[in-house]
Amino acid sequence: MPYVARFCDQTSVVEASYTGQVTSRDLKLAAQEILELLKLHGVSRVLADCSDMVGGHTVFDLYALADWLKHTAPYVREAVVLSRTDHADEAVQFWATTCRNRGIAVRVFRDRDSAREWLHRFPRSQN
């Protein structure tokens, strides 16, 4: 599977890691799993590590997913670690911009430490 999502007890953050080709279907499944974990643990913070992602989806897939997220869980705060590949890096930047345009707090970072630091400026709760 090109993604793994888990809740980290130590940080109260849902962490998702994406690897290789991540299709539109993979993105939807990952988003649903992440939201289930957020609700289960009563948190709103997500760390998405895209450093090993190389692509596999389109900007249209990201646009549709951002619209879905806006209506499903606008409380989400997501820190995204950039990919090491230029193409996927552009997709990550597009994702962040598209989400921010919908009022969802998403920021892009070059490393996990900076991403975690930003996330911890927000309360752990969804409320």
Side-chain angles (χ1 to χ4, degrees):
M1 190 170 286
Y3 73 90
V4 175
R6 68 180 183 85
F7 176 72
C8 182
D9 286 320
Q10 295 171 328
T11 60
S12 296
V13 170
V14 172
E15 295 187 6
S17 297
Y18 299 90
T19 306
Q21 295 288 323
V22 181
T23 67
S24 174
R25 183 174 186 278
D26 296 328
L27 286 175
K28 290 175 189 173
L29 292 172
Q32 290 169 342
E33 189 173 332
I34 289 166
L35 289 184
E36 288 174 16
L37 289 167
L38 291 172
K39 289 176 185 176
L40 178 65
H41 296 282
V43 297
S44 59
R45 300 177 298 186
V46 178
L47 174 65
D49 188 343
C50 297
S51 58
D52 292 325
M53 183 177 67
V54 296
H57 51 276
T58 69
V59 294
F60 300 108
D61 298 328
L62 296 173
Y63 188 87
L65 189 60
D67 279 344
W68 175 80
L69 186 60
K70 176 185 175 185
H71 294 96
T72 307
Y75 58 82
V76 169
R77 309 267 186 225
E78 183 177 38
V80 184
V81 179
L82 285 168
S83 174
R84 294 182 190 124
T85 66
D86 290 340
H87 174 71
D89 192 36
E90 290 174 16
V92 169
Q93 293 285 3
F94 179 84
W95 167 252
T97 300
T98 302
C99 286
R100 282 193 307 270
N101 288 343
R102 284 156 181 72
I104 303 165
V106 177
R107 277 199 55 196
V108 174
F109 299 89
R110 292 263 170 224
D111 61 85
R112 291 176 67 92
D113 290 338
S114 299
R116 279 192 195 105
E117 182 181 314
W118 179 76
L119 278 176
H120 287 290
R121 294 181 192 164
F122 297 98
R124 89 184 279 282
S125 170
Q126 292 179 21
N127 302 322

